[in-house]
Amino acid sequence: MINKDKLLEIAALFAIEGEISEVKALGEGFINDTFVVRTQGTAPDYILQRKNHIVFPDVPAMMENIRAVTEHIKSKVEDPMRETLTVVPAKDGKLYAEVDGNFWAVCRFIENTASYDRADTPELAYQGGVGIGRFQSLLADFEKPLHETIKGFHNIRHRFEQWDATIAANPAGRVAELSEEIGWIESRREEMLAFWSLVEQGVIPTHVTHNDTKISNILFDAPTGKVLCAIDLDTVMSSTSLNDFGDAIRSYTNTGAEDDPNLENVSMSLEMFRAYAEGYLSEQRTLCPAELQWLAFSARYITYEQVLRFLMDYIDGDKYYKIAYADHNLVRTRAQYKLLQSMEAQYDQMCEIVRSLA
């Protein structure tokens, strides 16, 4: 915990308008620590975050990415202070402040907004698709290089290098009991590598991607209920746009929980898939034929990657993901695999939906 005086001291390092009245915690983030900075009078309020420099080892590069992307969006929208984040620099001109080995950043608080923790209706799934589709569309002509702030993110070739090393080392001595689960990964290895080769070869192009497309990262205008902007841009990098679509489908369409111990609860809702795809493609009209061809497959790709990552962490002794009990990562693995199987069973229908919408 950080005391209030220290938080006020850190907030004062940034080019904040008005006089700061208080700094208090906002939510319970899994990665960053987030605070709201309240100011007196008519001055705007702000969001202060302590960035997790373990997950994001190059915070300065991350902040450069966010600043470049948000400035590009601001040049293309009607209300630039509400339709994207506004990065507030420190008083020394840097986009962050380093205090006692921790990295802090500030952006303006966007007033009169709403957000959701879960997309539990087709209507919300549609709006989530609109939000990410619009984000990608606004950045379709963005040409500046972005920093790779998380090495090999969604790169399955990189994940297989980690996987093979973990299997060989067998740190927790669990490999012998996981022959069936390991078989799930190995039986799809060539298919997943073949897809990623299309990205490496440029057949599937790369663009700016959000890389964390859950509904809670879409901000809505409270008075109208309309999508306002995408937030939480820490993972913004260059990759295939399909990663954003696939990750959203993994999140939005699951009828169970990500770690559901009852596999009977878990399946992919085709209704939610259609709703998200419709919203996404209503805004994202810049995809090339190869991207449209592989759009539905991206849901299988990202879900498969998550099966691999949960199982790999279990084999590694649960070092990456936080667990609530001893076999938590194995339960996650099996639940995500059930979701993957449901996607595979409905894949032809998913492709037909994309074709009809595109």
Side-chain angles (χ1 to χ4, degrees):
M1 297 294 292
I2 306 171
N3 65 51
K4 293 182 179 180
D5 289 341
K6 188 65 175 180
L7 287 169
L8 288 168
E9 178 185 320
I10 292 168
L13 297 174
F14 291 86
I16 287 173
E17 299 176 30
E19 185 176 346
I20 298 171
S21 58
E22 67 171 344
V23 182
K24 61 180 182 178
L26 181 66
E28 296 181 1
F30 291 112
I31 296 177
N32 300 317
D33 296 316
T34 304
F35 305 87
V36 61
V37 180
R38 300 295 183 188
T39 59
Q40 297 181 11
T42 59
D45 293 332
Y46 297 85
I47 295 294
L48 170 70
Q49 281 192 320
R50 177 167 58 179
K51 301 294 187 181
N52 187 324
H53 58 274
I54 305 301
V55 175
F56 303 103
D58 193 345
V59 173
M62 179 183 74
M63 294 307 301
E64 287 178 14
N65 283 357
I66 295 172
R67 177 67 173 269
V69 165
T70 54
E71 288 301 313
H72 186 87
I73 293 174
K74 286 180 184 296
S75 70
K76 304 181 75 173
V77 296
E78 293 182 4
D79 191 348
M81 300 306 290
R82 286 180 62 76
E83 293 184 61
T84 191
L85 297 180
T86 300
V87 176
V88 177
K91 291 176 179 177
D92 64 5
K94 295 178 181 178
L95 302 179
Y96 62 92
E98 186 175 359
V99 181
D100 299 330
N102 291 306
F103 290 83
W104 297 81
V106 166
C107 65
R108 279 185 57 148
F109 183 84
I110 304 175
E111 301 281 356
N112 297 317
T113 60
S115 62
Y116 301 90
D117 292 329
R118 180 176 172 83
D120 52 7
T121 66
E123 291 75 21
L124 265 183
Y126 177 90
Q127 292 298 332
V130 167
I132 295 302
R134 183 178 300 168
F135 176 81
Q136 290 186 356
S137 181
L138 287 167
L139 292 160
D141 59 348
F142 183 93
E143 297 180 348
K144 297 178 182 178
L146 293 175
H147 301 282
E148 186 183 28
T149 53
I150 303 178
K151 178 177 172 56
F153 201 61
H154 292 321
N155 180 332
I156 203 65
R157 196 176 303 279
H158 173 70
R159 294 300 182 196
F160 278 130
E161 291 173 0
Q162 296 176 317
W163 166 262
D164 290 339
T166 303
I167 293 291
N170 193 16
R174 293 170 170 172
V175 165
E177 66 192 51
L178 297 170
S179 58
E180 182 180 2
E181 289 82 359
I182 291 171
W184 300 343
I185 302 301
E186 295 299 338
S187 66
R188 295 165 174 81
R189 180 192 285 249
E190 293 307 316
E191 181 181 33
M192 298 301 164
L193 283 172
F195 167 77
W196 192 251
S197 292
L198 297 176
V199 179
E200 294 171 325
Q201 296 162 12
V203 175
I204 296 175
T206 56
H207 303 285
V208 178
T209 48
H210 185 285
N211 293 303
D212 190 8
T213 50
K214 56 183 178 284
I215 188 70
S216 59
N217 286 337
I218 303 295
L219 210 56
F220 293 79
D221 181 61
T224 65
K226 293 182 178 180
V227 169
L228 195 58
C229 62
I231 58 173
D232 195 2
L233 305 181
D234 292 1
T235 52
V236 162
M237 287 179 280
S238 294
S239 189
T240 167
S241 300
L242 306 189
N243 287 344
D244 281 353
F245 182 87
D247 196 30
I249 296 303
R250 185 184 75 84
S251 169
Y252 283 66
T253 67
N254 191 351
T255 58
E258 184 179 70
D259 59 352
D260 207 315
N262 184 357
L263 297 183
E264 294 299 317
N265 295 335
V266 180
S267 65
M268 189 205 75
S269 165
L270 201 63
E271 180 184 27
M272 294 291 278
F273 176 87
R274 182 188 295 275
Y276 185 89
E278 185 176 359
Y280 176 79
L281 290 171
S282 72
E283 291 285 340
Q284 173 52 293
R285 310 301 298 180
T286 66
L287 299 180
C288 71
E291 290 171 298
L292 290 171
Q293 178 185 346
W294 290 94
L295 190 62
F297 184 83
S298 69
R300 292 169 55 188
Y301 175 83
I302 293 293
T303 305
Y304 170 87
E305 181 194 23
Q306 199 57 62
V307 176
L308 182 153
R309 292 184 67 192
F310 282 145
L311 184 57
M312 180 167 62
D313 196 37
Y314 181 71
I315 293 168
D316 199 33
D318 308 304
K319 296 176 181 176
Y320 186 85
Y321 293 106
K322 293 180 180 179
I323 59 171
Y325 50 89
D327 288 340
H328 198 174
N329 272 324
L330 187 57
V331 170
R332 287 166 168 155
T333 298
R334 290 168 176 162
Q336 286 294 283
Y337 182 65
K338 179 68 183 303
L339 179 62
L340 175 61
Q341 288 180 302
S342 181
M343 290 176 176
E344 291 172 339
Q346 300 181 83
Y347 183 57
D348 288 345
Q349 295 161 280
M350 294 161 66
C351 291
E352 181 54 39
I353 288 170
V354 171
R355 283 192 292 269
S356 67
L357 294 173

